[in-house]
Amino acid sequence: MRVSEVHAAESVAYLNRALVRLQDIWEEIGIPEEQRVQRTNDVHKHIKGLLDLMIAEEEELKKRLLKSIESCHKELSHLCSELQLPPFEEENGCTMLQIERNSRTRLEVMKEHKKQRMDELKGLISKDSELCDIMCTTPFCIDPESIPSVKQLESYRAYLDDLTKEKERRHYEFVSVKKEISTCMEDLERQPETSFEMDVMCEDEEAFCLSSDNIAALKQLLSQLQEDKAQNELRCSALRTKIQELWERLQIPHEERAALSEHMVKSKKRNIEALQAEAQRLQVLKMQSMKSVIEAIRAEIALFWERCFYSQEQQQAFIAYHSEDFTEELLEIHEAEVRALKKCYEDHRELFEGVHKWQESWTLYLELDKKANDPTRFNNRGGNLLKEEKQRTDLQKSLPKLEKVLKAQIDIWEQENGKEFQVNGQKFLEYVQQQWDNHHTEKEKEKLERQLKKTKQTQEDMLYGTTMRTPSKRRIAGTPTPGKMRKLNGTSTMSTPNSFLCSGLGGTMCQSSIQKPPLSASKGLGLRTPGHARTPRLLDRNKENISHLNRNTPSGTLRETSQKHLNQI
């Protein structure tokens, strides 16, 4: 049982006890029945009025609660609609007071939520307006009076974030472009002329409108200034090139050139004027010294002929090169020829430099190969012999590789130009092959001359005897060691560094594979070696071999194997 019900039962019990007590009192007093009834009716009326009053008050409370609940529900429904939230639903099993309290609390929360959204919207609109003023853009499409939804606010925030980033990017671009414009104007010695240029060069960078049109105009202004600057630089470059050429051709002293050093670097207005004045001055000097200028150009032409591998026929095709009529027209012809040669060389520099590299490597290879065949090279004690041999071997390997690379480049060049690439009037590969052939022919010729010389010397030695030679301190490679045994046709013979084979019948001597001292005329056919003597018996054993050598060797010559061995020496 509820406490309120207990209290109600106690109130009824107390009322009954009170009425009984009143009856007792009235009885004791002796109040008549009629008065008792009257008094009881007064008590009844009093209690009934009091209870009716209390009931009326509670009924009024109930009405107020119902009205409050209805009002809250109505406002909640409207706010949910404005805030685009699901409708408010009351929990089941709640009393009237709980419903009213919950509705009122929910309404306060919803009102606060509405206020927050409207405050945020107001702030976003203010920021949007500021950005629109700076960037001249259209404001975000949203009703400032209605409550925005969560998605609308998110979209608005994202839009403003992007707009802020774009504003920062444009501001950075404006600052950097403004700096470049300032530099260009300084180089061009130019001041802002139009109102836009004045706005750009204004010190207050925040005051510049960062609209897309202004940024585009800013870039266009920079492009125009850069174009003007580039034209000035081209003019200065052309003037400098012309001045340098005239300086070289006219052989202007370095002291006079140094006076123009500042103008040879910068490209401002005053620099252009100074360069133009110098070019005009040199032009006058050139006209006054036409012959020396043309001769200087001819030296330059000859240099480029060499760089471009012009043949004699190609050089002779330029008839003006030999003209003695030093006129301005002849000068122009020579200048045009120099320009054409320079362009030809620059267009194909890589190919020409490759051919030059091959020629330098080839020349070095020929020098090293010539040194390798020089007998005096063994007198070198500085270690260069090994280095030169290694370098010669490396060149022998690298030259074919370089030729292969050049062939590929030449094939591409011939396809692009539709003509043959020639070196000194020949196709490059034919020129290379000719150089190799000439080299091989020369080597064969030298080898033949050495063989003939050695054959002639051998014949003279066999006929008249060898001349005494000073024994070398250094043992030659392949020389038998004294005292060692060697076999000749199965016969063991003692070999010494200075031994000879001779024939007593033919009177002909055959020199061994090493250098030996001459035989003494007073000793006859006897053989002597330093510190050793060959016995007649040992000599008899070798007669068969000696006669065999004499039969296979033509008169006055050595047999082929001996000749080969001599060539190796």
Side-chain angles (χ1 to χ4, degrees):
M1 181 179 291
R2 296 179 181 178
V3 177
S4 60
E5 292 177 352
V6 173
H7 287 174
E10 289 178 355
S11 298
V12 171
Y14 179 77
L15 181 59
N16 291 330
R17 288 195 303 273
L19 289 173
V20 171
R21 179 60 181 163
L22 284 172
Q23 290 294 333
D24 291 341
I25 292 171
W26 290 339
E27 182 68 30
E28 290 176 0
I29 294 172
I31 295 176
E33 182 64 24
E34 293 177 359
Q35 291 182 0
R36 290 182 185 181
V37 172
Q38 181 65 37
R39 290 176 182 271
T40 303
N41 288 336
D42 291 339
V43 172
H44 177 73
K45 288 178 181 180
H46 181 72
I47 293 172
K48 182 177 179 294
L50 183 60
L51 291 175
D52 289 341
L53 181 60
M54 293 179 66
I55 290 171
E57 290 178 357
E58 297 302 322
E59 287 288 344
E60 185 64 27
L61 176 61
K62 178 182 177 182
K63 289 179 182 180
R64 288 200 307 271
L65 288 174
L66 289 173
K67 187 177 180 180
S68 176
I69 290 170
E70 183 180 0
S71 176
C72 288
H73 280 187
K74 187 176 180 180
E75 289 190 46
L76 282 171
S77 178
H78 181 68
L79 285 174
C80 287
S81 177
E82 285 184 329
L83 297 172
Q84 299 182 9
L85 295 174
F88 176 71
E89 294 182 0
E90 193 63 54
E91 297 180 5
N92 295 327
C94 293
T95 63
M96 195 175 296
L97 283 172
Q98 289 176 337
I99 293 173
E100 193 273 340
R101 189 185 303 112
N102 292 342
S103 300
R104 190 156 29 85
T105 304
R106 179 65 176 171
L107 182 61
E108 291 175 358
V109 172
M110 297 287 281
K111 286 181 178 180
E112 182 65 25
H113 194 43
K114 175 183 176 180
K115 182 178 180 298
Q116 290 177 358
R117 287 198 188 182
M118 293 303 294
D119 291 344
E120 184 177 2
L121 177 62
K122 185 178 178 181
L124 293 175
I125 290 174
S126 175
K127 186 177 180 180
D128 189 11
S129 176
E130 182 182 349
L131 290 172
C132 288
D133 292 340
I134 296 174
M135 303 177 66
C136 297
T137 55
T138 305
F140 187 78
C141 183
I142 192 170
D143 186 3
E145 301 299 329
S146 63
I147 303 174
S149 65
V150 176
K151 289 185 178 179
Q152 285 178 321
L153 290 176
E154 289 178 354
S155 300
Y156 205 176
R157 283 194 295 267
Y159 168 78
L160 292 179
D161 288 343
D162 293 340
L163 198 61
T164 303
K165 291 179 182 178
E166 178 66 15
K167 179 245 182 184
E168 293 174 354
R169 186 192 67 79
R170 290 187 185 182
H171 184 266
Y172 175 78
E173 187 175 14
F174 164 69
V175 172
S176 59
V177 173
K178 176 185 175 181
K179 186 177 180 181
E180 293 182 22
I181 289 174
S182 178
T183 303
C184 289
M185 284 189 171
E186 183 180 353
D187 292 339
L188 294 171
E189 296 179 347
R190 172 183 165 183
Q191 296 296 327
E193 299 173 355
T194 64
S195 59
F196 178 75
E197 292 177 359
M198 293 178 181
D199 291 340
V200 171
M201 301 307 295
C202 179
E203 294 183 0
D204 187 7
E205 296 178 352
E206 301 297 331
F208 184 77
C209 179
L210 299 174
S211 65
S212 56
D213 293 339
N214 280 357
I215 296 297
L218 193 71
K219 292 180 179 178
Q220 185 176 1
L221 174 61
L222 176 61
S223 177
Q224 182 63 43
L225 293 173
Q226 288 177 338
E227 184 178 351
D228 294 344
K229 183 179 177 181
Q231 289 178 355
N232 284 354
E233 289 177 351
L234 286 174
R235 290 174 62 189
C236 289
S237 178
L239 288 170
R240 290 180 189 123
T241 302
K242 185 176 181 180
I243 289 171
Q244 289 283 2
E245 291 177 354
L246 291 173
W247 276 350
E248 296 298 329
R249 289 171 184 169
L250 297 173
Q251 298 181 353
I252 300 298
H254 290 283
E255 294 77 13
E256 293 185 28
R257 301 184 189 186
L260 208 69
S261 59
E262 178 187 356
H263 305 294
M264 298 298 285
V265 179
K266 298 180 180 179
S267 302
K268 296 184 178 181
K269 185 178 179 180
R270 58 189 182 86
N271 302 126
I272 296 176
E273 294 173 353
L275 292 173
Q276 287 175 339
E278 178 68 8
Q280 291 174 359
R281 184 183 76 85
L282 294 174
Q283 191 71 22
V284 173
L285 290 176
K286 182 181 76 171
M287 299 304 297
Q288 294 173 355
S289 55
M290 188 70 68
K291 181 178 179 181
S292 61
V293 171
I294 292 176
E295 288 177 350
I297 297 176
R298 284 176 176 175
E300 191 173 0
I301 289 174
L303 176 64
F304 277 99
W305 278 348
E306 181 181 355
R307 289 181 178 178
C308 297
F309 304 100
Y310 266 44
S311 63
Q312 289 295 328
E313 292 76 9
Q314 290 175 300
Q315 296 178 18
Q316 292 172 1
F318 184 57
I319 302 174
Y321 188 83
H322 305 284
S323 176
E324 298 295 331
D325 185 13
F326 299 103
T327 62
E328 186 175 358
E329 181 181 359
L330 184 66
L331 176 62
E332 291 177 356
I333 294 173
H334 279 71
E335 288 178 341
E337 181 67 13
V338 166
R339 287 194 295 271
L341 288 170
K342 284 182 177 179
K343 185 177 185 305
C344 175
Y345 181 75
E346 291 299 329
D347 291 344
H348 313 293
R349 175 188 287 270
E350 183 179 0
L351 186 56
F352 288 136
E353 288 179 352
V355 176
H356 273 293
K357 182 180 178 182
W358 181 89
Q359 281 193 330
E360 291 173 357
S361 300
W362 176 252
T363 303
L364 180 59
Y365 173 74
L366 292 180
E367 292 177 359
L368 295 173
D369 193 65
K370 185 176 181 181
K371 289 181 179 179
N373 295 323
D374 186 2
T376 62
R377 72 188 188 280
F378 294 107
N379 296 331
N380 183 304
R381 296 184 180 271
N384 290 331
L385 184 61
L386 185 60
K387 294 179 182 177
E388 290 176 357
E389 184 61 26
K390 185 178 182 301
Q391 192 175 9
R392 187 174 72 91
T393 305
D394 293 340
L395 286 172
Q396 207 166 9
K397 295 177 181 178
S398 63
L399 278 171
K401 294 180 181 178
L402 182 57
E403 292 165 9
K404 185 177 180 181
V405 172
L406 288 173
K407 180 182 181 303
Q409 294 178 348
I410 289 170
D411 290 341
I412 296 173
W413 184 91
E414 291 179 346
Q415 291 177 2
E416 292 177 351
N417 294 272
K419 59 181 180 180
E420 293 181 347
F421 178 80
Q422 294 186 345
V423 175
N424 299 330
Q426 286 183 285
K427 291 185 67 174
F428 175 71
L429 295 180
E430 293 178 357
Y431 172 76
V432 171
Q433 186 61 42
Q434 183 180 2
Q435 298 300 313
W436 280 105
D437 292 343
N438 292 341
H439 176 60
H440 292 320
T441 302
E442 187 67 24
K443 290 198 71 170
E444 290 294 330
K445 182 179 178 182
E446 292 176 358
K447 181 179 178 181
L448 210 59
E449 289 178 353
R450 287 196 305 270
Q451 289 177 348
L452 291 173
K453 183 178 179 180
K454 289 181 180 180
T455 302
K456 183 178 179 182
Q457 182 64 39
T458 303
Q459 290 176 354
E460 290 177 357
D461 290 346
M462 294 176 68
L463 288 174
Y464 306 110
T466 60
T467 59
M468 179 65 72
R469 297 176 184 156
T470 304
S472 176
K473 294 182 180 180
R474 184 184 300 175
R475 185 178 301 280
I476 300 175
T479 305
T481 304
K484 289 189 177 180
M485 300 294 292
R486 67 175 181 178
K487 290 188 177 182
L488 183 63
N489 292 340
T491 305
S492 175
T493 61
M494 186 71 72
S495 175
T496 65
N498 296 323
S499 62
F500 282 83
L501 293 176
C502 65
S503 171
L505 296 174
T508 306
M509 275 185 292
C510 179
Q511 190 174 2
S512 68
S513 61
I514 57 173
Q515 299 294 335
K516 304 172 181 62
L519 293 174
S520 174
S522 63
K523 299 299 180 180
L525 295 177
L527 295 175
R528 280 192 177 275
T529 61
H532 296 278
R534 187 179 299 240
T535 61
R537 180 182 178 186
L538 190 60
L539 182 61
D540 291 338
R541 291 180 181 177
N542 288 332
K543 282 182 179 180
E544 182 181 352
N545 297 329
I546 294 172
S547 62
H548 175 71
L549 290 172
N550 288 334
R551 284 196 304 270
N552 294 336
T553 305
S555 175
T557 62
L558 292 173
R559 64 187 180 92
E560 184 178 355
T561 55
S562 298
Q563 182 62 46
K564 289 182 179 179
H565 197 64
L566 286 170
N567 290 340
Q568 292 176 358
I569 297 175

